[in-house]
Amino acid sequence: MPESSAETIRGSKSSVHIGAIFDPDNTLDGVIAEISMNLAISDFYALHPNYQTRLHLRVTTAKDLVDTAGAAVDLLENFQVDAIIGPQISAAAPFLVELGEKSQVPIISFFETSPTLSLIESPYFIRVAQNDSVQAKAISAVLQKFNWHEVVLVYEDTDYGIGFISYLVDALQETNIRVAHMSAIPKSAEDFQISKALMKLMTMQTRVFIVYMNTALASRLFALADQNGMMSKGYAWIITAGLSNSLNVLDSDVVDSMDGVLGVRSHVPKSKELESFDRRWKRELHLMKPNSPLTGINFSGLWAYDTICALARAAEKILPPTNPSFVKPNTSESRIDFASLGASRIGSRLRDELRNTRFKGLSGEFNLINRQLESSVFEIINVIGNGRVVGYWTPEKGISQNLGPNYKNGLKQIIWPGDSTTTPTGWAIPSLKIGVPVKLGFPEFVEQRKNGNKTTYTGFSIDVFSAVLETLDKDLGFKVLHDFIGFEDEIGLMDGSYDDLLLQIKNKKFDAVVGDTTIVANRTNYVDFTLPYSESGWTMLVLAKGDNRKNMWIFLKPWTWDLWLTVGTSCIFITIVIWVMEHNTENTEFRGSYRRQLAMILMFPFYAFVIPQRELVVRDCSRFVLVVWLWLAFILMQSYTASLSSILTVDKLEPTFDNLERLRTKDHFIGFQRGCFVGNLLEKQFNFSRSQLKSYGTIQEYHEALSNGSKNGGVTAIFDEIPYIRVFLKAYGSQYTTAGPIYRTVGFGFAFPKESPLVSYFSKAILLVRENETKMDEIEKRYFGEKVTSATLAPTISTGSSSLRAFNFGGLFIIAGIATLFAIAISERYIWQRPVALIRQYLTSDHPANRIELAAQPTAETDAGDHSPEVHQDSGNSGRISGRIKEDIAVE
């Protein structure tokens, strides 16, 4: 095997032997690594001449797995190295890691190795490269940024490829991004095999591809993808860090074929040291490989440089002895095996010091976390030339255009495949096969029209769908082609229920369903719905008792019978009170024959309104009672007027039947719309017998069934969704009404396959259409003349009586009654004076004479506020009444 060694630094310095296994003769990564490591040794000890240790590097060429295994054994057996850098071949890493563990020699890799190698289970393995799990999160963030919900993974069919895919799938699942397909391409695949895999990807709807493979295989993949037209407008390609870090080592033709690709790669901060190193590296390359196609260093070269610097720092800290650092076992056998390799005296200490070494290298901060290089910042590049940085990703801030204090969210302008500046939607939009319900009834929603061989579809749902497509094209930037296909049988009728129609999406017969399809929970098990484009709900439709406006006794309806009786009683009561107070005065209105006085009692409430200019009462207390009555009457009249106006102006038809429990008896039959989900709900959730249920398809059938009733082959009630009931009531509103509660549903929506990316775009477009009230009102008026897609049926659903009851005015009557009693108590004192006198006499004396004297004593109370002649006359009357009381007591 060809060998080369770094310049030996002579003197009394302690030596630490380092082995390296890669192919600098035939691979560009090998050339980069060899030059970088040699420069690292010379640069480091030039800056640290006083160090007591020196690294001695021995590079061994290995072209394949067998060469790598032999080179590792050779380095350990013959050169007794204390650390091995490599391998360049990912498949050899597991063997090399196991060998390093047995010989206690750290295995350090800055090349892409299989992520399945466990750092926990391999204590001597150190990876100086980006963290694959963190890289997977960065890629997932990029997908989220562009709202791509489906991706295709294209990867190298090796442990190297499979290991990273497991990290990526986990990261995608955390963000609800679905892997539509995984295409594994063998490392040794011929061009025709790669083309076959690409042709299969072209037939898929998803147009976002994530590529994870080595540079040699990726170069062929993108060249063939370009030839097959897959690097054109509408496609999106994302490459991982292994490719992004090596763009400058790829052939220029390959890089040209990758124009528009996005990539993530480790971030390397700019520095003067990096610029100086880059110039010296290129000069060294020109001296060693004058004909090399390389134009610059890649990330592997920077990590190689920093790895040597880290080893030199760690070796100085342990100060190894000058005697051999390898312990050889006692063995008599001459053959080479694991037992004869021995173990490094300083390998474990060197590993521990490496783990604790921290410094600022060319690639950034060198810091090993669990023997893995910490890499928390990734660049997002757009492959135009060798890659243009359009943003950054960090775990803390996510995606941004820059780092540092001038943080700016988002990404810079991206040039996509096909030189497009429009962000790809993420999938190909073929001509959608859209299923449409075909039914005879309710053509306002969906109607099929056939004219010879041409079939067209119209209706409210179709027009809303057309408005959504227009919004998708105008506002969201993509056009959807489609073909409407009627869901019908041989004779032109609907081929099943709405559930059967939606199942055709799951069966791949339709790509979507457009129509008056209600969003119901059980349907979401096999389709995804957009946001609703209309509100909905369902309720009960029954016969009405009749139109109130055709009732000759409608003037009685504002008040219930108890209120009418209470008002009449109140009128008579207040008139009697006023008569009592006015009868013994000079008021001639309350004198005369019994017939005249009775007529006055009955007619007085009306006199107060009809002839208010006349002085009907003369006493102040009577006037007070009259004011109370007028106040009470005014409120009652205003309430009566309002209630009557409501009855006359609002069409409130009373249902003939509104008891849901009674409907469950065998005497009643229930109707529902043919094919609608309501029938299943009535049977399964409301426990109606299947024998009670009848299905109908048109409003004419609804009318005939409800008119006949259950006894004549019809139904008592029909349950249906509110939009259909509104259409029915528009035609037969004077004969029918709704009753019972409204059972809410989400509304009408368009259906797509499960996890279809079109759902989010159509939902957004529906929101835009619904926010444009002018557009929606125009569509609704075109078919219904009014708004019918609301879930509210307020004008017709209310079945409660609007008549006012006595209880509604209970407080008013109580106030009026108390005020009236108070007035008569002040005006007619004799009514309560005699009982008071009797009680006093009874309490003060047991002798009849004393009681008589007490009764004869004049009352000290006077009506201080009553100075009119009528009051004096009233006092005289009180005296006469008092005299009569005395006579009565004497008789006793």
Side-chain angles (χ1 to χ4, degrees), residues 88 326 399 526 757 766:
Q88 186 176 354
F326 235 74
I399 293 177
Y526 44 88
I766 287 172

Side-chain angles (χ1 to χ4, degrees), residues 157-260:
D157 192 11
T158 60
D159 289 341
Y160 161 75
I162 295 172
F164 175 75
I165 291 301
S166 63
Y167 283 118
L168 184 57
V169 169
D170 290 342
L172 296 180
Q173 287 178 345
E174 290 177 3
T175 53
N176 296 321
I177 297 174
R178 191 173 76 93
V179 178
H181 182 69
M182 298 173 67
S183 179
I185 298 179
K187 185 178 180 180
S188 59
E190 300 290 339
D191 285 355
F192 78 90
Q193 292 175 295
I194 299 175
S195 295
K196 184 178 179 181
L198 291 173
M199 293 301 293
K200 182 177 180 180
L201 299 182
M202 288 183 67
T203 63
M204 301 183 64
Q205 186 174 340
T206 306
R207 287 293 185 263
V208 181
F209 306 102
I210 299 176
V211 179
Y212 184 82
M213 55 184 57
N214 64 60
T215 54
L217 186 58
S219 299
R220 297 162 56 206
L221 174 78
F222 280 105
L224 292 170
D226 191 25
Q227 294 176 16
N228 287 288
M230 296 181 70
M231 300 302 297
S232 56
K233 184 178 179 180
Y235 285 88
W237 295 82
I238 299 176
I239 56 176
T240 56
L243 280 173
S244 300
N245 293 339
S246 303
L247 286 175
N248 57 349
V249 304
L250 296 178
D251 186 84
S252 59
D253 292 336
V254 174
V255 175
D256 289 342
S257 69
M258 297 173 64
D259 279 352

Side-chain angles (χ1 to χ4, degrees), residues 114-180:
S114 173
T116 57
L117 282 173
S118 172
L119 294 172
I120 298 176
E121 297 176 0
S122 308
Y124 283 88
F125 180 53
I126 298 173
R127 183 184 283 125
V128 185
Q130 72 275 335
N131 189 317
D132 288 318
S133 63
V134 179
Q135 180 190 180
K137 292 180 180 178
I139 294 173
S140 177
V142 172
L143 297 174
Q144 285 183 290
K145 173 65 180 176
F146 297 109
N147 292 320
W148 292 330
H149 302 291
E150 279 191 3
V151 296
V152 172
L153 305 183
V154 185
Y155 61 97
E156 179 182 319
D157 192 11
T158 60
D159 289 341
Y160 161 75
I162 295 172
F164 175 75
I165 291 301
S166 63
Y167 283 118
L168 184 57
V169 169
D170 290 342
L172 296 180
Q173 287 178 345
E174 290 177 3
T175 53
N176 296 321
I177 297 174
R178 191 173 76 93
V179 178

